[in-house]
Amino acid sequence: MTNVTDQTILHLDLPGIKKLKSGKVREVFDLGNSLLFVASDRISAFDVIMPNGIPRKGEVLTQISYFWFEKFAALVPNHLLSGANDPLPKELQPFAAQISRRSMIVKKAQPLAIECIVRGYLAGSGWKEYQKSQTVCGIKLPAGLKESSELPEPVFTPSTKAESGHDENISFEEAEKIAGADIARQARDLSLKVYQAAREYARQRGIIIADNQVRVRPQRR
């Protein structure tokens, strides 16, 4: 059994393995025909990376991600090339104490140019907009809803995908312009299916999923 470090990992380099980028939480490395995602213990809130972290947060995040990807693999294809309990490839074994249970090996793919967000409850920035205009991302909602009210139906509310700073909410029409109408519609439909399936699964276990950010790979027709 691999000895996993309890040290808080805020930054990570793997000598001999090319790092492509550091995101808000994840480090991305190039393995040639695939990518290595490693979730750090950094805390990101409202696009701000905090100076402190939470020990083993990256492990928890990765294992939750594995669960949902595997849960809905039959509903929508994903980018996973490794399983939650698969051994690390030989070239990554020297780093096992640092990256075991917090890493994923994934396919190289072209990311969508938009963020796919589904909201099932009226909260956060959606609640602020509703108070002003009775809309969320321009979608008209019934009058009389309160903060954290469950929406009559989940709504797809895309946003921009900013490399730095805040993502901005956009209309579906704007998403079609950015990603293309066919891709945007596939992304919307798949995102709603994933959210609804996950919400029902969680609801049966006493958990409310208020909203989610779905990363999908629509097939070009």
Side-chain angles (χ1 to χ4, degrees), residues 53 118 147 207:
V118 178
E147 185 175 9
I207 299 170

Side-chain angles (χ1 to χ4, degrees), residues 31-211:
L31 298 181
N33 293 326
S34 59
L35 296 175
L36 173 69
F37 286 178
V38 183
S40 73
D41 296 324
R42 293 192 292 269
I43 303 170
S44 173
F46 302 103
D47 300 310
V48 175
I49 299 174
M50 306 300 180
N52 57 315
I54 299 175
R56 305 184 78 168
K57 169 181 176 285
E59 291 180 52
V60 174
L61 176 64
T62 300
Q63 296 306 308
I64 291 173
S65 296
Y66 269 124
F67 173 82
W68 287 115
F69 279 130
E70 292 170 0
K71 182 71 178 173
F72 297 120
L75 183 62
V76 55
N78 60 55
H79 60 337
L80 287 184
L81 291 174
S82 62
N85 298 309
D86 289 352
L88 292 170
K90 183 178 179 180
E91 68 269 27
L92 297 178
Q93 286 291 335
F95 313 110
Q98 295 169 286
I99 69 173
S100 286
R101 295 187 58 78
R102 65 169 71 237
S103 62
M104 289 182 167
I105 298 174
V106 303
K107 300 173 186 177
K108 289 185 173 180
Q110 184 67 33
L112 287 176
I114 57 173
E115 295 283 0
C116 298
I117 300 167
V118 178
R119 302 173 191 263
Y121 291 78
L122 191 56
S125 62
W127 168 243
K128 291 181 180 179
E129 180 183 333
Y130 178 82
Q131 289 177 293
K132 295 177 181 178
S133 59
Q134 202 181 310
T135 63
V136 172
C137 295
I139 300 171
K140 195 70 173 179
L141 296 177
L145 296 180
K146 298 179 179 179
E147 185 175 9
S148 300
S149 290
E150 183 172 2
L151 301 179
E153 295 289 339
V155 294
F156 179 69
T157 57
S159 74
T160 57
K161 187 191 293 285
E163 286 296 323
S164 60
H166 292 283
D167 295 336
E168 298 292 337
N169 293 335
I170 57 176
S171 67
F172 182 72
E173 289 71 26
E174 186 64 25
E176 288 183 305
K177 292 177 183 178
I178 295 172
D182 185 54
I183 293 296
R185 289 167 188 166
Q186 289 183 66
R188 176 193 61 195
D189 295 346
L190 287 171
S191 296
L192 287 166
K193 285 182 180 179
V194 170
Y195 174 75
Q196 289 168 327
R199 181 177 67 171
E200 290 309 308
Y201 179 87
R203 194 198 300 271
Q204 293 169 14
R205 289 155 179 81
I207 299 170
I208 292 174
I209 299 180
D211 54 49

